Amino acid sequence: MDSKLTVAILVVSTTAAQDPTTDLSTKVLSDVLADDGNDQWKVTDTKIVTDDAVDIQRQVITWTDSLGAPNLIVTTGGTGFAVADHTPEAISLILHKQAPGLVHAMLSTSLAVTPFAMMSRPAAGIRRNTVIITLPGSPKGAKENLQAVIKTLPHACLQASGANSRKLHAGGVQKLEKDAGIASSGCSHGHSHNHGHNHGSGHGHAPLVRHTKPNTNPLSNDPLLGPSRRYRESPYPMVSVDDALQMIADFSPEPHVVRVKVDENIVGSVLADDVKARENVPAFRASIVDGYAVVVPKDGNLKGVFPVTAVSHAAPGQTPALKEGEIARITTGAPLPPGATSVIMVEDTILKSLTDDGKEEKEVEINAEGVKENENVREVGSDIQAESIILKRGEQISGVGGEIGLLAAVGVAETDVFRKPVIGVLSTGDEIIPYDRPGDLRLGEVRDTNRITLISAAKEWGFEVVDLGIAQDKSNTLEETLRNGLRRVDVLITTGGVSMGELDLLKPTIERSLGGTIHFGRVAMKPGKPTTFATIPVKDNAGTRVSKTVFSLPGNPASALVTFHLFVLPSLHKQSGVSPVGLPKVSVSLAHQFNMDSRPEYHRAVVSANKDGVLVANSTGGQRSSKVGSLRAANALVCMPGGKGVLEKGAKVDALVMNAVRTHAV
Ligand code: AMP
Ligand code: MG
């Protein structure tokens, strides 16, 4: 097994990008990793990019956000004061965590060599599971900086990769230092690593050094700067739909377990534990038919006229014991009298005589041969054994599948399920007015289409929804509305305000005011390009730190509904324990020619089964993202690949099914 840590090296140099032979840094850095790296490192990729910030970000994200991401990325170049230098800025913007300690270590080592180290501006931190450091462009500076941190990097990389930190820390900081082959200068700051060792020895924790204010590195526009200073192109890297879904899977919180009563409200919930039957079904020996309980003689022949000595109805209570030669009238589902072995169907009997008052049967004739023990009897536990597992963890309780009935039958009145997240829906935009406001529209007003649409969709999928109204395009209004929303719900869905206009405040508010992390802010798809997914750390009512998910969907109604189904639903599913997540995918045949778009398109369509049982897809017509009508009657999203030209009638493509498939073409 190759257990080495993996490194990718990114050379940021416009010169080297034009002529790779001028690049000396890759070799120098590889040598440091080999010579000083304790045989722990393996260089898995090297790339050269120009000083372009977007190119730098794109390459780093390509590495960090893919499967098999390297443990470490080192960049070299672009860290100085020259006009073209912006590697640290490009990197900082895409870091999920800052690592000022690494920056400090690199700077102090270089400063000991030359005061010009003041002019290096390194950045360091973590994106997803990868540690990233930016080194200067000069091979000598790059080498010194890397040497300054290389001994501690294996531990940093292991932690960032998600390795068990308790195990990593066993033995305290001394062991870590020993393993890394480094010595501290005698006063280790053993914060979380070394409880109880250095405390009280006279050298308390030095105050944290910060060179920047927290949150100085969000990717979003600073709204205070006004329209002329906003970015003119989205700084958010464009991610693929698959990568977006992976991030949603990674960053949506795990479901919580709650104990609930078994009643109609449990429909749609997923069991958090296996459920065992508390009781046998049936709980007593019961008759399967209406007839007569009998005691079968050894030879199985039951012939003659028998006195009816008792009656057993399907009702609680004890019937007197039965002896051979006696019979008891019994109804379906009633308990067999003690001693009875079998039940003869009423159809196989003849009434012989009545009691004196004429109200009851006195004698009945039976003519049966070969009657077996237990004939027409359901034994105790023959349907379900007490203590057997009747439903498994992960199974979803449907409203139609009989799961509730099963729980009820075996006496389970309470059970553990995954709590379904509560969803808040907010529309944003100064132009948006309540859809039911009477009177004509004034110029520029738009009726709020999205809120009622998304509320209905979320309810249709079985979630509790809080209506958060409409927020104006003003930073403080938006911030307050979002804060209020975050207190009340687990998942926030907003629409509008995520495009590139100067009033598009969602991203800045999430990042700058609420301290959230935007995992993606642009997706390569149509409709829905500006779809934004973020998580915001908050304290819940019990004071525990939790992460709440925010989906800021585009304002255009078709985009909002498509992206709800494509991105929000999988997150809601994960948070409520539903698996697999998202809409079911089927293969359909196109009923007519479909035009392709350069971006992958989620084409609103009606899918129906033709007379041969083949699923065919008809477009709902014009697909412009503002077209509310494109979703009318749509029950599926046809997944059109990005490209030029058309897909012909009959072409097979995937479709995501939103609603029941019809049985004939519309
Ligand atoms: P935005 O994402 O804010 O740039 O909005 C894009 C487009 O969607 C604009 O034409 C908005 O007027 C429209 N829009 C935004 N929110 C809604 C809504 N709740 N209902 C209907 N249209 C909306
Ligand atoms: Mg808007």
Side-chain angles (χ1 to χ4, degrees), residues 202-283:
H203 53 263
H205 296 199
L208 275 179
V209 180
R210 274 218 71 152
H211 298 276
T212 53
K213 282 199 250 118
N215 277 324
T216 40
N217 294 322
L219 222 48
S220 45
N221 278 311
D222 182 346
L224 298 176
L225 298 180
S228 56
R229 299 273 306 278
R230 73 188 143 107
Y231 298 116
R232 306 208 77 79
E233 192 199 330
S234 171
Y236 290 90
M238 181 89 93
V239 301
S240 69
V241 170
D242 284 346
D243 285 351
L245 289 170
Q246 186 59 52
M247 289 185 231
I248 290 169
D250 289 348
F251 294 106
S252 295
E254 295 295 334
H256 295 288
V257 179
V258 284
R259 190 140 189 99
V260 294
K261 279 189 16 202
V262 173
D263 59 22
E264 313 84 282
N265 297 320
I266 204 177
V267 170
S269 294
V270 173
L271 292 169
D273 216 340
D274 292 352
V275 180
K276 286 184 179 168
R278 285 190 53 223
E279 296 156 350
N280 283 308
V281 180

Side-chain angles (χ1 to χ4, degrees), residues 618-631:
N618 278 276
S619 170
T620 55
Q623 299 284 309
R624 201 154 14 96
S625 40
S626 53
K627 274 202 128 181
V628 195
S630 68
L631 273 146

Side-chain angles (χ1 to χ4, degrees), residues 427-429 431-432 444 446-451 473 495-501 504 530 553-557 626:
S427 286
T428 73
E431 78 280 29
I432 307 301
V446 175
R447 292 200 191 270
D448 184 0
T449 319
N450 294 338
R451 194 161 39 112
D473 287 327
T495 63
V498 282
S499 324
M500 286 299 295
D504 288 339
L553 309 182
N556 276 314
S626 53

Side-chain angles (χ1 to χ4, degrees), residues 138-163:
S138 82
K140 181 169 174 296
K143 178 176 176 181
E144 282 162 12
N145 273 258
L146 184 56
Q147 283 171 330
V149 293
I150 189 157
K151 301 287 195 237
T152 38
L153 284 175
H155 182 64
C157 288
L158 281 175
Q159 273 207 294
S161 75

Side-chain angles (χ1 to χ4, degrees), residues 635-647:
N635 61 356
L637 302 171
V638 169
C639 310
M640 295 282 293
K644 283 208 181 75
V646 296
L647 286 189

